[in-house]
Amino acid sequence: MTVILPIPGYSSAEIPQDEEQRLEELYDMEILDTSSDERFDRYTELAAQILNVPIALISLVDRDRQWFKSARGLTVKETPRNVSFCAHALNEPQGWLLVRDASADPRFAGNPLVAGDPAVRFYAGAVIHGPSGQPLGTCCVIDLQPRTLSSSEVFALQQIAKLIEQELQTRALLNDLRSKIQSHALYDMETGLPNQALFFTRLHALLKPPLPRDYVLALALIRLDHFDTAHAALGSAGAAFLISETASRLRDILGHNVQLGRIREDKIAATFPVSTAELAETMMGRLLQAMEEPFVVANHSIPVRVTIGAAVCPDDATDAQALLKRARTALYAEPASDRSSVRSYNPKLSDRAARRFEIESALRKALAAGEFQLVYQPKITTRGHSYVGAEALLRWNHSTLGEISPLEFVPIAESSGLSAELGNWVNRAACRQIALWRDQELDCLEISVNVTSMQIRQPGFCEQVRQILDETGLEGRHLNIEITEGSLIDDIDTAITLMQRLRNWGVSLSIDDFGTGFSSLSY
């Protein structure tokens, strides 16, 4: 509560009823106690010249003082609020105050600024309002002799005050834009979490030497697996909600000492101090447990599978860049699992990561280099042992790495976004082989090809199958598509729609790896 001491022979201005709202807007302007500004000085100079006065001010009325953003003819930067003429002007319903002779005015005769130095006699002030209309202060002129203003001079003072209002409003708008630009540069717009740049800056500060002897900092990279599927099903807002809720659960487990950041669309990074590396592993396990509870989005229960890559300082690295690299190595050293998991860094993972990177790089060139080939495994009935078709199996013989197992390169192709292109090549090559056998009058009822979940989710998958059949002149009955149970579960409704279209063209379907997913015949 503001307490203004009384002055004998002088009445201080009443405090406006909406004083707190007025002060809030004044403080939001972030203009108090700022340096001099030529733009505002021009207005006080203009007011002094037009109205022929020795003193002109832009006065902002604070809680206990009036502060001058610009002062012409006065050396002080502020005075107490209880002697401020401008504080009286704020209460004037017409928005301006005119005092012809302060020494003869009972409201001001005892004012120290009137009775003493500088012996103010004349005052005229036009109220300056903030962006929402709150009175912040005045543009005022002062003379040491009694006088008055003509109506045209009052109008001129009011117009100068309006120009200052526009200047303040422009300043507020620029500050708001500057704040938004800074926020956009440092924070993720969807979740409000620090972005990768800000997170890395904070991580670097946390690891700035010298580190305490008992200091252990854990870094966790939390990836929401199949985030693209969730994004497609829930939209941007729903996917952002999943990330935000993940961050909320991390705070609940790790407390306020956790530093969070959104590193990529599907990843959150978290750092938190612990006393030992063993305790860090325990906390990672608790994070995993926290993610087992399904999320509720738009009244739908959404199960979320996560993979956590973990590294600790100082055991794994002592600088920010190396620690982040170690956690990322742990995250990507192995293909995605069917269940949530924590992967802690160890030096052997670097060798696996190097191998994985080498294979991924080679994959991108292998199709163009003709390094892939299909081999065909006959399908024989258990009754009668008759031949009914063949399954196309993909093989890769690299020029320097040699034979690379599908168990190794297929998961890498999926996680790197190459499986759809590779799968299309397999489909086309298999259909061409059937057409070749048909032209050679060799009987082949059908060839089975494996299709990944990424291929199914690829836009235009069915159209590509139709195009390949048309190119090779095959009927749909010659092609059997094997779909893994897990790929069906990811988005069962979409899978059913695609499968129905394929069936309409005569393409047969089968479920591969049955029992590794939900193990339910209803799917």
Side-chain angles (χ1 to χ4, degrees):
M1 178 178 180
T2 301
V3 178
I4 299 179
L5 299 177
I7 297 174
Y10 170 65
S11 298
S12 300
E14 293 184 2
I15 303 297
Q17 291 184 349
D18 56 352
E19 176 70 356
E20 292 306 315
Q21 292 91 331
R22 189 191 71 80
L23 289 172
E24 182 179 357
E25 179 156 8
L26 175 62
Y27 298 151
D28 285 344
M29 299 293 297
E30 297 183 345
I31 193 172
L32 291 173
D33 299 311
T34 56
S35 58
S36 60
D37 192 317
E38 183 180 358
R39 295 173 301 173
F40 291 100
D41 291 342
R42 289 174 181 170
Y43 292 121
T44 52
E45 183 67 29
L46 179 64
Q49 292 294 330
I50 291 177
L51 303 177
N52 192 26
V53 292
I55 300 172
L57 307 169
I58 297 176
S59 172
L60 300 173
V61 181
D62 198 357
R63 189 180 298 275
D64 300 308
R65 61 171 178 160
Q66 64 171 353
W67 178 81
F68 307 131
K69 176 58 184 173
S70 178
R72 196 266 195 191
L74 199 65
T75 58
V76 298
K77 290 294 295 181
E78 63 181 61
T79 67
R81 177 172 175 168
N82 61 349
V83 300
S84 168
F85 283 66
C86 298
H88 287 267
L90 299 185
N91 295 321
E92 294 296 320
Q94 71 270 24
W96 64 282
L97 174 65
L98 179 65
V99 180
R100 294 177 176 85
D101 185 354
S103 64
D105 191 317
R107 296 173 297 174
F108 302 104
N111 189 312
L113 301 178
V114 177
D117 189 55
V120 173
R121 292 296 178 267
F122 168 77
Y123 171 90
V127 175
I128 298 169
H129 299 87
S132 71
Q134 290 287 348
L136 305 182
T138 72
C139 173
C140 66
V141 292
I142 296 173
D143 204 338
L144 306 181
Q145 301 295 328
R147 58 170 293 183
T148 189
L149 293 181
S150 66
S151 59
S152 61
E153 289 174 324
V154 171
F155 179 76
L157 183 61
Q158 291 173 329
Q159 292 305 304
I160 294 173
K162 289 186 179 298
L163 290 173
I164 296 171
E165 282 184 0
Q166 292 177 5
E167 192 76 44
L168 289 175
Q169 290 173 9
T170 300
R171 179 189 179 97
L173 177 60
L174 290 175
N175 285 342
D176 184 56
L177 289 174
R178 189 178 297 112
S179 177
K180 288 180 179 178
I181 291 171
Q182 184 181 29
S183 179
H184 185 72
L186 298 176
Y187 292 87
D188 174 61
M189 291 296 98
E190 289 186 326
T191 62
L193 292 171
N195 64 13
Q196 180 169 333
L198 180 56
F199 177 83
F200 186 80
T201 298
R202 291 178 175 177
L203 178 61
H204 181 76
L206 287 172
L207 297 181
K208 190 174 182 179
L211 298 175
R213 295 181 63 182
D214 58 348
Y215 185 77
V216 176
L217 185 74
L219 170 62
L221 289 182
I222 301 100
R223 180 184 67 203
L224 274 68
D225 298 334
H226 302 302
F227 184 77
D228 54 344
T229 303
H231 194 284
L234 303 173
S236 297
F241 177 79
L242 286 181
I243 290 288
S244 299
E245 284 297 293
T246 299
S248 178
R249 293 189 186 186
L250 294 176
R251 289 192 185 97
D252 290 342
I253 294 296
L254 302 174
H256 295 294
N257 287 330
V258 64
Q259 298 266 16
L260 298 175
R262 190 176 187 182
I263 302 301
R264 289 287 187 270
E265 187 180 34
D266 61 343
K267 297 178 190 66
I268 292 180
T271 59
F272 52 95
V274 288
S275 57
T276 64
E278 289 74 17
L279 181 57
E281 291 186 10
T282 300
M283 297 302 291
M284 296 294 178
R286 291 181 61 189
L287 292 182
L288 211 60
Q289 291 177 358
M291 298 303 297
E292 290 179 354
E293 185 70 22
F295 292 86
V296 178
V297 183
N299 296 322
H300 294 288
S301 180
I302 308 295
V304 174
R305 192 169 68 206
V306 300
T307 304
I308 300 176
V312 295
C313 168
D315 291 7
D316 299 324
T318 56
D319 66 271
Q321 187 171 1
L323 190 65
L324 197 59
K325 182 179 179 180
R326 299 289 188 268
R328 189 177 288 117
T329 297
L331 182 65
Y332 289 109
E334 299 289 344
S337 173
D338 290 333
R339 60 182 63 189
S340 296
S341 61
V342 176
R343 302 170 179 178
S344 298
Y345 174 79
N346 68 67
K348 292 182 178 180
L349 293 179
S350 294
D351 296 335
R352 296 183 192 173
R355 167 75 174 180
R356 178 183 175 85
F357 178 78
E358 187 176 23
I359 291 177
E360 182 176 338
S361 300
L363 267 171
R364 299 183 183 277
K365 304 174 184 177
L367 276 174
E371 295 175 351
F372 288 108
Q373 62 177 345
L374 294 181
V375 296
Y376 300 92
Q377 178 174 286
K379 287 186 175 182
I380 308 296
T381 62
T382 56
R383 180 179 299 175
H385 303 290
S386 59
Y387 170 73
V388 294
E391 180 177 3
L393 303 174
L394 183 62
R395 296 294 181 262
W396 182 17
N397 186 12
H398 189 266
S399 56
T400 57
L401 299 176
E403 292 281 350
I404 303 174
S405 169
L407 295 176
E408 185 176 18
F409 72 77
V410 169
I412 295 176
E414 285 203 349
S415 62
S416 59
L418 298 172
S419 65
E421 182 181 358
L422 187 57
N424 291 336
W425 180 87
V426 170
N427 290 346
R428 182 170 275 103
C431 287
R432 286 175 177 170
Q433 183 62 61
I434 299 175
L436 179 62
W437 285 335
R438 180 197 59 192
D439 294 342
Q440 295 174 347
E441 298 183 352
L442 296 175
D443 185 29
C444 180
L445 297 180
E446 68 173 21
I447 284 185
S448 299
V449 295
N450 291 287
V451 174
T452 67
S453 59
M454 183 171 291
Q455 280 181 268
I456 293 176
R457 294 195 299 268
Q458 182 186 23
F461 169 72
C462 286
E463 287 73 13
Q464 289 176 340
V465 172
R466 178 73 264 175
Q467 181 181 359
I468 292 172
L469 291 174
D470 292 341
E471 286 177 2
T472 54
L474 292 179
E475 298 177 15
R477 64 184 179 85
H478 290 295
L479 181 63
N480 173 265
I481 290 181
E482 293 188 359
I483 306 174
T484 61
E485 182 186 359
S487 65
L488 297 178
I489 303 307
D490 281 341
D491 188 352
I492 188 67
D493 293 333
T494 299
I496 288 173
T497 301
L498 294 176
M499 289 173 9
Q500 186 60 56
R501 293 183 65 187
L502 294 171
R503 289 290 297 163
N504 291 340
W505 298 334
V507 177
S508 60
L509 300 154
S510 57
I511 297 179
D512 195 15
D513 295 335
F514 183 78
T516 60
F518 280 65
S519 301
S520 171
L521 286 175
S522 64
Y523 284 101

